[in-house]
Amino acid sequence: MEASEARKTLFSGIQPSGSITLGNYIGALRNFVLLSEQYDCLFCVVDLHALTVRQDPAALRRNTLSLAALYIAAGLDPEKNLIYCQSHVPEHAELAWILNCFTYMGELSRMTQFKDKSARHQDNINAGLFTYPSLMAADILLYQTHLVPVGADQKQHLELTRDIATRMNGLYPGLFVVPEPYIPKTSARIMSLSEPTRKMSKSDAEDSYIAVLDPPDVIRRKFRRAVTDSETEIRFDPENKPGVSNLLSILAALDAITPEEEAAKLQGLQYGALKEAASEAVIAALSPIQERYQALMGDKQYIQDILKANAERAHYLAQKTLRKVYKKLGLYQL
Ligand code: TYM
């Protein structure tokens, strides 16, 4: 991260809970890389958020290191971007407490992710799952962030973050920068391959998502099995043709054109050709990342050193905001 006054700050994070999916890549990680040259960036492995559902401790440790390696393998230069782990910077949890005191129960209970997750984990509707968005707001506001690249499913959390920041700025002028979301126009919501009306998610059955680390034969097999429809026309129509439209969105994101243009290119061809085009585009995008990832995972010490050095730098920045917040709120300063 360069110490330039003119550059704005970008923050984003991914949970280290299981395999990182093609949805995470297209909706978020790829945009991190595209935007990283223009901003001072922090990319966080949000392990505290992952605890809102039960995690196997050994798997969580493995996934944390793996996600840090994946950030780098995807093209984020760890010398220029702060790549670090949320639990290594205690100010995230400290600011989250403060924000909890300025966030209403009504706001939190309206969050669709809370409603979805509590329906899926009925035996463990914990308070962390409920206050998850205030920890996310703390992640962002802690660094006086201007831009937050996320997929469409995080839009509501970003709006809440902005509401909290605006509310607190009203009470304590100049406290926080109010962040802007960056949500790609198309492909912000990659759908499940087996149930294309649902979001592709790492917590669903394996055949429903492509993992960023899936080998080429697995990627081809999953696309071949992807649900389409009983028609034959390749047309972008998410409402009536969710499966076909999802494949077009994936392809379009990777070719940097619109799904409609992608459909025009494939006019007259069969669904098999669309599936093959999508798998080859995905393999071409992921293969170099997988190669770099394997090399990085061969040197775990290198990744640990990066996490350590960058957490110290993030801690320094976080301290500045937290001190300001404590002071403005009237917490007694020694
Ligand atoms: P998480 O870990 O669920 O997902 C990480 C990022 O991937 C995006 N994403 C998708 N985009 C398109 N299609 C999909 N199917 C898809 N699935 C996931 C998500 O929108 C997200 O951008 N709460 C966040 C993590 C977080 C965070 C933050 C993000 C914690 N603190 C602060 C930004 C800023 C989450 O659970 O993401």
Side-chain angles (χ1 to χ4, degrees):
M1 197 150 98
E2 283 163 29
S4 143
E5 282 296 311
R7 274 157 73 104
K8 293 188 167 173
T9 300
L10 179 152
F11 181 98
S12 200
I14 299 180
Q15 295 190 62
S17 50
S19 321
I20 300 308
T21 70
L22 184 65
N24 296 134
Y25 178 68
I26 292 180
L29 186 51
R30 208 172 65 106
N31 299 320
F32 299 176
V33 180
L34 296 174
L35 293 164
S36 65
E37 291 293 320
Q38 305 154 44
Y39 290 83
D40 282 341
C41 299
L42 298 105
F43 297 111
C44 191
V45 178
V46 289
D47 55 351
L48 296 175
H49 276 108
L51 293 182
T52 53
V53 300
R54 288 283 169 268
Q55 300 288 335
D56 167 47
L60 181 58
R61 266 191 291 275
R62 232 184 5 257
N63 290 336
T64 298
L65 199 74
S66 165
L67 180 52
L70 204 55
Y71 277 157
I72 302 168
L76 297 172
D77 181 345
E79 303 293 327
K80 293 190 184 150
N81 303 285
L82 289 189
I83 292 172
Y84 72 102
C85 182
Q86 189 184 32
S87 66
H88 296 172
V89 179
E91 288 80 6
H92 287 250
E94 292 178 76
L95 183 61
W97 169 256
I98 303 280
L99 301 190
N100 268 332
C101 300
F102 291 85
T103 308
Y104 300 118
M105 302 283 284
E107 289 176 312
L108 292 171
S109 42
R110 277 195 294 278
M111 296 291 117
T112 49
Q113 186 169 307
F114 171 69
K115 291 190 220 164
D116 286 354
K117 283 203 179 173
S118 43
R120 253 191 290 147
H121 302 275
Q122 294 220 7
D123 52 337
N124 182 21
I125 307 178
N126 60 70
L129 200 59
F130 189 64
T131 59
Y132 179 114
S134 13
L135 177 59
M136 180 161 161
D139 298 339
I140 297 166
L141 301 181
L142 199 48
Y143 300 98
Q144 305 292 355
T145 300
H146 298 90
L147 195 72
V148 186
V150 283
D153 62 328
Q154 298 299 319
K155 185 167 182 261
Q156 206 185 17
H157 290 162
L158 252 297
E159 281 162 4
L160 179 60
T161 302
R162 288 171 55 85
D163 288 346
I164 298 170
T166 308
R167 177 176 308 145
M168 291 185 75
N169 283 348
L171 295 164
Y172 315 100
L175 194 59
F176 293 125
V177 168
V178 180
E180 295 289 336
Y182 176 96
I183 300 172
K185 277 196 195 66
T186 50
S187 330
R189 194 175 169 83
I190 300 299
M191 309 308 271
S192 155
L193 296 183
S194 50
E195 260 182 278
T197 49
R198 287 171 53 121
K199 183 188 78 162
M200 180 182 282
S201 165
K202 53 196 163 200
S203 48
D204 286 344
E206 259 197 43
D207 259 8
S208 71
Y209 66 83
I210 304 280
V212 169
L213 296 174
D214 274 346
D217 54 324
V218 173
I219 295 177
R220 288 194 187 98
R221 194 194 69 223
K222 287 182 178 175
F223 272 115
R224 266 200 304 272
R225 289 190 191 159
V227 167
T228 48
D229 52 55
S230 54
E231 300 178 4
T232 53
E233 192 196 359
I234 298 181
R235 187 177 81 238
F236 186 66
D237 178 355
E239 188 114 330
N240 300 306
K241 296 171 77 68
V244 167
S245 302
N246 190 36
L247 297 176
L248 286 169
S249 295
I250 293 172
L251 202 48
L254 299 176
D255 288 343
I257 59 175
T258 66
E260 288 84 357
E261 286 168 333
E262 207 62 73
K265 267 172 57 183
L266 295 162
Q267 201 67 62
L269 297 178
Q270 295 190 332
Y271 287 171
L274 169 62
K275 289 178 170 184
E276 198 182 314
S279 23
E280 293 317 308
V282 168
I283 292 167
L286 298 184
S287 292
I289 298 176
Q290 294 176 353
E291 263 172 47
R292 286 194 292 270
Y293 170 84
Q294 296 305 347
L296 284 160
M297 287 303 274
D299 187 358
K300 297 204 169 76
Q301 190 59 49
Y302 168 72
I303 303 166
Q304 282 178 26
D305 290 347
I306 285 170
L307 288 178
K308 189 157 193 283
N310 282 341
E312 276 166 23
R313 294 168 64 192
H315 170 64
Y316 171 79
L317 298 171
Q319 271 282 311
K320 280 212 293 202
T321 300
L322 194 68
R323 280 213 200 95
K324 176 176 168 187
V325 170
Y326 279 6
K327 194 166 165 214
K328 287 225 183 197
L329 266 64
L331 296 179
Y332 195 81
Q333 306 287 296
L334 292 175

